Amino acid sequence: MTLTILVAPSGFKESLSAEEAADCIEKGVLRACPQADVIKVPMVDGGEGFTKALVAITGGTLHERTVTGPLGEPVASHFGFLGGKGERTAVIEMAAAAGLRLVPRDRRNPCITTSYGVGELIRAALDAGARRILLGCGDSGINDGGAGMAEALGVKLLDRDGKPLPSGGGALGALARIDLSGRDPRLADVRIDAAVNWHNVLLGERGVARVFGPQKGATPEQVELLADAMEIYAAAIAETTGIAVGEAPGAGASGGLGAAIMGLLGGALHPRYDIVMRYLDLDSMIAKADLVITAEGSLDGQTPFGKVPAEVGHRAKEAGRPVIALAGTIGKGVALNFDHGIDAFASILKAPCTLDDAISAAPKLLVRAAEDAVRMVRVGMLLNERGLAA
């Protein structure tokens, strides 16, 4: 019997794209089982690779731009237009202008990083005739609540003296007033649909600063500064527009970018997979598979809250397919994933090493981990043939 294996990984942050991860897993699978039929569906969730994946799937076009990066320095970026008929739809991933990979590890400070370049990409899409904007949120290196993005589109964030605030989430603690009078008028005639992690909120103990601030380099003191700043920011948005963003699902996505999308730009937030699965035919691919292998940089107690392995696991479980998850690291609360469609998991790391070493060796490590996993599966198949499997 030929084993059909669906490979549906996320990317590994700062290391492998989803496409590269899928290629590595395929290579490992075929080492262990050369006769296997491998189906690859690299998963995008709004983060890195979102634009290029949707442009490729729909036969669209990609447009290169230089924008302001998260540290205020120029970075090479891009946006796209979807192919096909219908309204002219631009697709943008915020990570292309304000992603974590654009912030060197020794310069990570989410109190000062900005989403300004995201607004510049939106402006470029409007200049190119976009009537709808599909905005992917994920893999961010910022915690400014989307303030920089809004400023690039003409929104003014002012202190008590009526002066514009400096860039970064930390400066929002001095926010006194939001002025929408200069907002780009074209926003009133364009539809913005943002693909977000629906579990991410702006404020509270589960708010973006406390949950994700440390991952972006924030110290404990900076986490509290950012949390307080987000409270002030949310109150100012509510006072200006009447829109409550503090606890809104998805408002905390990408360092709070979701709050600005819904509160200042008039956009709509959507659970990321409601958007992505319109373009990725994952369910039909699962139906063809005997086994599903997914992967992500980290597997832990946060994975069930909107991450790729849990989404793949959920859909595979509905179809009655077993799922193996491979991860760079295995973290606290990982057993929770057994309740979300993951049947087995393993780290690709075989010995202690530095983060830099793990990132550079990730392709080789992932190939080997996929090979090991499928060899284990083959042992189980042999036992089953002998009637010894449980």
Side-chain angles (χ1 to χ4, degrees):
M1 182 185 80
T2 299
L3 191 64
T4 300
I5 299 177
L6 172 64
V7 175
S10 174
F12 284 46
K13 284 185 181 180
E14 302 181 79
S15 179
L16 295 168
S17 69
E19 291 80 6
E20 291 168 336
D23 289 343
C24 289
I25 295 171
E26 177 187 40
K27 186 175 181 180
V29 166
L30 294 177
R31 281 184 182 178
C33 190
Q35 70 275 24
D37 182 10
V38 179
I39 304 170
K40 292 186 292 184
V41 183
M43 295 292 294
V44 292
D45 60 1
E48 290 185 1
F50 179 74
T51 299
K52 291 181 179 179
L54 267 58
V55 164
I57 290 168
T58 63
T61 58
L62 195 69
H63 304 263
E64 306 292 336
R65 287 292 187 277
T66 297
V67 300
T68 303
L71 292 171
E73 300 163 354
V75 298
S77 188
H78 59 268
F79 71 96
F81 278 101
L82 300 183
K85 298 179 180 180
E87 60 187 337
R88 187 161 169 76
T89 298
V91 56
I92 294 169
E93 65 193 56
M94 69 82 55
L100 187 62
R101 69 173 180 84
L102 298 175
V103 189
R105 275 190 224 113
D106 60 353
R107 299 179 65 187
R108 288 182 180 173
N109 179 355
C111 288
I112 63 172
T113 47
T114 179
S115 60
Y116 195 90
V118 182
E120 291 178 312
L121 287 179
I122 293 174
R123 201 167 65 216
L126 293 173
D127 291 344
R131 303 299 300 168
R132 177 187 178 223
I133 293 173
L134 193 56
L135 181 55
C137 297
D139 299 330
S140 73
I142 52 99
N143 201 134
D144 73 345
M149 173 186 68
E151 287 176 313
L153 292 163
V155 176
K156 295 179 180 178
L157 304 171
L158 308 171
D159 64 17
R160 291 180 181 177
D161 297 323
K163 297 179 180 179
L165 296 178
S167 298
L172 292 172
L175 178 63
R177 184 168 64 90
I178 298 175
D179 180 358
L180 299 179
S181 63
R183 186 176 66 179
D184 193 318
R186 296 175 295 179
L187 292 170
D189 299 318
V190 70
R191 181 158 59 101
I192 300 177
D193 291 311
V196 304
N197 188 331
W198 205 238
H199 299 280
N200 291 354
V201 296
L202 188 68
L203 306 180
E205 289 304 313
R206 298 294 305 164
V208 62
R210 291 194 171 94
V211 174
F212 297 105
Q215 298 177 16
K216 299 171 186 178
T219 65
E221 294 77 15
Q222 288 173 329
V223 165
E224 294 309 313
L225 185 154
L226 287 168
D228 291 344
M230 292 300 105
E231 295 273 359
I232 293 168
Y233 182 54
I237 291 176
E239 182 177 348
T240 305
T241 67
I243 299 173
V245 299
E247 302 297 332
S254 289
L257 198 81
I261 292 168
M262 66 179 292
L264 299 177
L265 303 189
L269 308 183
H270 306 269
R272 59 174 74 172
Y273 298 111
D274 286 0
I275 297 288
V276 170
M277 294 308 169
R278 297 176 191 176
Y279 303 95
L280 297 181
D281 194 15
L282 181 63
D283 291 334
S284 68
M285 297 298 103
I286 289 173
K288 298 176 182 178
D290 302 303
L291 170 68
V292 178
I293 299 178
T294 185
E296 190 165 64
S298 176
L299 197 73
D300 55 27
Q302 291 294 321
T303 301
F305 300 99
K307 300 294 183 70
V308 163
E311 182 69 16
V312 172
H314 167 72
R315 291 172 179 268
K317 200 53 54 185
E318 286 190 339
R321 302 301 191 269
V323 179
I324 296 172
L326 303 175
T329 60
I330 303 297
K332 183 178 180 180
V334 67
L336 186 61
N337 290 281
F338 291 136
D339 298 325
H340 294 270
I342 305 298
D343 296 292
F345 57 79
S347 171
I348 68 173
L349 299 176
K350 303 303 181 184
C353 65
T354 67
L355 179 58
D356 285 341
D357 288 343
I359 288 174
S360 64
K364 179 174 66 176
L365 293 170
L366 186 55
V367 170
R368 178 60 185 272
E371 178 184 355
D372 291 346
V374 174
R375 289 192 184 281
M376 291 291 186
V377 169
R378 292 195 67 184
V379 169
M381 293 171 66
L382 290 172
L383 290 172
N384 187 61
E385 290 174 3
R386 296 180 59 191
L388 299 176

